[in-house]
Amino acid sequence: SEPTTLALLHGLMPIFELKDIRPVLNMTTVSVVSIDFVLYGILGVDEKAQVLTTYLWLKYWWKNEFVFWEPAECGIDKITVPRERFWYPDMVINEFMDEDKSPRTPYVYIYNTGHVFDDSPLRVVSTCKLGIYSFPFDIQNCSLTFGSYIHFDTDIQMFASTTAAEILEESLSVAQTKGEWELINIQVFPSVLEITDGKYSQLKYYLILRRRPILYVINLILPSIFLVTLDVFSFLLPPHSVDRSSFKMTLILGYTVFLLLMNDLLPVTGNETPLLSIYFSVCLALMVISLLETVVITNVLHHSSMKYQQVPNWVKVVVLRHIARLICYKWPQDVQEKDTSDNGNDGSGPWVIQSSSLTPAPQRDLPPYEPHPRRSPVPPACPGARSLPELQQICRYLDQLHGHVASLQKESELRDQWCHVGYILDFLLFRIYLLLISCYALVVVFMWCVWISQ
């Protein structure tokens, strides 16, 4: 009767009594609920619990066919009323996993045409199947499915009031959280859930999130690469020195401590293992293999040479000839000269070093002394020794010195042979180690790229 708000509320009092039924004049009429939301922030992603926490501004539109008035007569075209006074659709998010702790808004807008508009914040804790195989370069696809909890599609149908591109643009403009995750895309698809009793109309939104990997690259990947690089350059240390094995053991110990400290940064799930964890395990295994290689080479250079064992012929042929030629091993100049002079002996390649500190006369220039069994042990090179005992003593000393020098020369030759065997094997294993690390790095990068592209 009067163009005032009080008069309009008084006229709506009978409609308030009908809040318990769906607001349609004919029960066969379908109530259309339009949905729109803005992603205000990504609060957290729990890989272990497989849970995504987001904060939404949620908007609903529907029509109450019991309401209609003329704006010219009532003076206004919309009014706010408590939401408890009107019928409200039983909208739920199927992935919801926790109670709603967001603040409640007590009012809704109702327009003269009967359309009702509800706008409220919502803290959503939803389940999401998180794949961490490509961590920290992973991209997650989480869904939010809106639908009625009790009404079939013959009663309520869901529609999107805005496009996914508009939701994405508005969400990026108002987003306040700039944490570990960033929103890269939103997709929306209508769907129908079929059960035995009927069908439910649903609207499914897909939130595509990407992790910002810079923190994990700096704290996890780069330190690991540095340690493995140090392990590679440790091959530049002399193989006959114990410093290399000590250095490698120190690296392995440091890498183990590094993995223990960084264990909290790695996600844990029961479904799959991150590729980064496999990367760390393989890097540790490669460092252990490198240490074992150093132990083997040290054993060849020290243990075998200290026993003064003769290098087997098959080792000379396989290692000193074929493997040395395969890895382009550079022989020292004195070894090449020795090989040139002895090329017609065995043809097994250079394998003897003539040490400058040990250059006695060759053994063939001074034949060994063999005393006659019936004569006194006087060397034939010492005539008149029967009348001069001093010369006899000197000749015995010279004979012993000759044998000692020959023994030292033999030991030096054996030691140098084993040193060359160790050097060649060290070069070979070092190149194999570099090949393994390079192939492994390429495989890891390729697997990451394939996973991201899929």
Side-chain angles (χ1 to χ4, degrees):
S1 59
E2 296 179 0
T4 61
T5 303
L6 292 178
L8 179 59
L9 289 175
H10 181 73
L12 294 176
M13 289 300 295
I15 300 177
F16 293 160
E17 302 296 331
L18 302 175
K19 64 180 181 179
D20 296 329
I21 62 174
R22 191 163 58 91
V24 290
L25 299 177
N26 188 347
M27 295 307 295
T28 59
T29 303
V30 178
S31 297
V32 177
V33 178
S34 300
I35 298 178
D36 182 22
F37 73 88
V38 175
L39 181 61
Y40 189 71
I42 302 172
L43 303 183
V45 177
D46 190 348
E47 293 89 354
K48 185 176 182 179
Q50 298 282 289
V51 167
L52 169 68
T53 304
T54 54
Y55 197 80
L56 308 179
W57 289 344
L58 193 58
K59 303 174 184 178
Y60 290 138
W61 289 86
W62 71 92
K63 186 174 182 180
N64 191 324
E65 296 184 358
F66 300 151
V67 177
F68 180 79
W69 74 84
E70 291 293 340
E73 297 179 0
C74 298
I76 55 176
D77 60 350
K78 61 182 178 180
I79 188 174
T80 57
V81 296
R83 66 173 64 242
E84 293 80 7
R85 295 294 187 93
F86 276 91
W87 176 87
Y88 194 87
D90 55 336
M91 304 304 299
V92 294
I93 299 177
N94 294 347
E95 294 83 1
F96 217 99
M97 293 292 293
D98 199 359
E99 61 178 343
D100 184 15
K101 299 179 181 179
S102 56
R104 306 302 300 175
T105 54
Y107 298 100
V108 296
Y109 266 118
I110 184 168
Y111 290 81
N112 64 299
T113 57
H115 289 89
V116 183
F117 173 67
D118 179 29
D119 189 359
S120 60
L122 183 64
R123 182 180 181 270
V124 181
V125 181
S126 59
T127 178
C128 179
K129 186 178 180 181
L130 301 173
I132 60 172
Y133 178 74
S134 62
F135 171 87
F137 305 101
D138 50 333
I139 297 176
Q140 308 296 340
N141 191 347
C142 300
S143 62
L144 297 177
T145 306
F146 294 87
S148 174
Y149 188 78
I150 192 64
H151 292 90
F152 295 116
D153 60 348
T154 56
D155 298 329
I156 294 180
Q157 290 188 357
M158 314 297 300
F159 288 95
S161 60
T162 56
T163 63
E166 294 173 345
I167 296 176
L168 176 63
E169 182 180 359
E170 188 174 1
S171 299
L172 294 177
S173 63
V174 301
Q176 296 297 318
T177 58
K178 303 294 183 181
E180 181 180 354
W181 296 88
E182 61 177 338
L183 179 67
I184 60 175
N185 196 12
I186 295 179
Q187 298 176 352
V188 56
F189 299 98
S191 62
V192 176
L193 176 62
E194 298 185 9
I195 60 174
T196 305
D197 297 332
K199 300 179 181 179
Y200 290 96
S201 176
Q202 294 180 342
L203 200 61
K204 181 169 290 189
Y205 288 88
Y206 291 96
L207 308 180
I208 302 177
L209 312 176
R210 179 172 57 196
R211 192 193 304 265
R212 293 185 174 96
I214 184 65
L215 172 66
Y216 302 97
V217 170
I218 295 176
N219 292 332
L220 289 178
I221 298 179
L222 287 182
S224 178
I225 293 176
F226 292 155
L227 291 176
V228 174
T229 304
L230 279 177
D231 185 63
V232 172
F233 278 95
S234 66
F235 281 91
L236 298 178
L237 295 174
H240 57 272
S241 174
V242 295
D243 293 339
R244 179 193 284 191
S245 58
S246 301
F247 184 76
K248 287 181 177 293
M249 286 188 288
T250 304
L251 279 180
I252 293 177
L253 179 60
Y255 197 80
T256 305
V257 175
F258 161 75
L259 292 182
L260 292 177
L261 294 177
M262 295 294 105
N263 190 38
D264 295 337
L265 292 178
L266 295 175
V268 179
T269 62
N271 297 330
E272 55 187 356
T273 302
L275 184 60
L276 188 63
S277 298
I278 302 176
Y279 165 78
F280 288 150
S281 301
V282 175
C283 286
L284 182 60
L286 290 175
M287 296 175 72
V288 172
I289 293 175
S290 174
L291 177 60
L292 293 178
E293 181 269 345
T294 302
V295 172
V296 172
I297 298 301
T298 304
N299 177 74
V300 172
L301 294 177
H302 290 269
H303 184 68
S304 298
S305 60
M306 290 301 294
K307 289 183 177 180
Y308 309 119
Q309 296 178 349
Q310 184 69 30
V311 178
N313 290 330
W314 68 270
V315 175
K316 294 180 181 179
V317 174
V318 175
V319 177
L320 298 179
R321 178 192 294 179
H322 299 293
I323 296 181
R325 187 180 304 168
L326 177 65
I327 65 175
C328 301
Y329 180 71
K330 295 181 179 180
W331 296 91
Q333 186 66 28
D334 53 354
V335 177
Q336 293 179 359
E337 295 175 356
K338 179 65 177 177
D339 177 57
T340 303
S341 60
D342 299 340
N343 191 26
N345 295 336
D346 54 3
S348 61
W351 50 268
V352 177
I353 293 181
Q354 295 292 338
S355 177
S356 59
S357 61
L358 296 173
T359 56
Q363 187 174 356
R364 58 180 178 270
D365 296 338
L366 185 61
Y369 166 64
E370 295 181 0
H372 194 275
R374 294 185 179 181
R375 297 179 181 176
S376 59
V378 179
C382 298
R386 294 180 180 272
S387 59
L388 295 177
E390 293 80 2
L391 293 179
Q392 180 181 0
Q393 186 71 20
I394 292 174
C395 289
R396 282 200 299 267
Y397 287 159
L398 291 175
D399 186 53
Q400 294 176 1
L401 181 61
H402 176 271
H404 180 67
V405 170
S407 176
L408 290 179
Q409 183 180 11
K410 183 64 176 178
E411 294 173 7
S412 177
E413 291 177 357
L414 292 176
R415 183 168 58 252
D416 293 337
Q417 291 177 38
W418 284 111
C419 283
H420 278 287
V421 171
Y423 291 154
I424 293 173
L425 291 178
D426 183 63
F427 288 176
L428 175 65
L429 295 178
F430 173 58
R431 283 158 175 76
I432 295 176
Y433 186 66
L434 281 180
L435 181 63
L436 288 177
I437 290 181
S438 303
C439 294
Y440 175 62
L442 292 177
V443 169
V444 170
V445 173
F446 176 76
M447 294 177 67
W448 263 325
C449 295
V450 169
W451 192 92
I452 292 176
S453 63
Q454 291 178 351

